[in-house]
Amino acid sequence: MEWLDKLLRADVLALIIPIVAIVGAFSVAALKAHHRHQERIEKIKQGMDPDN
């Protein structure tokens, strides 16, 4: 468990937390965009106009 002690030091956490937050925010944005795209494709398949 030495690696965990090294990981939980304040100086390391000060770098890891912002990186994880940024990666998480981009991941959520990408998943939302993908979901919107999938919904649009389904509307097109059903013969609906996705822009209305």
Side-chain angles (χ1 to χ4, degrees):
M1 296 297 253
E2 277 183 41
W3 64 271
L4 187 58
D5 292 333
K6 292 178 182 178
L7 186 66
L8 294 178
R9 289 193 343 237
D11 56 337
V12 176
L13 284 176
L15 293 175
I16 291 176
I17 291 173
I19 292 170
V20 169
I22 292 168
V23 169
F26 278 111
S27 298
V28 168
L31 284 173
K32 282 184 178 181
H34 178 71
H35 181 68
R36 282 193 308 268
H37 177 70
Q38 292 296 82
E39 286 180 340
R40 183 177 173 86
I41 295 299
E42 281 302 315
K43 286 182 181 179
I44 291 170
K45 284 182 181 178
Q46 294 174 2
M48 300 168 74
D49 185 8
D51 294 329
N52 291 334

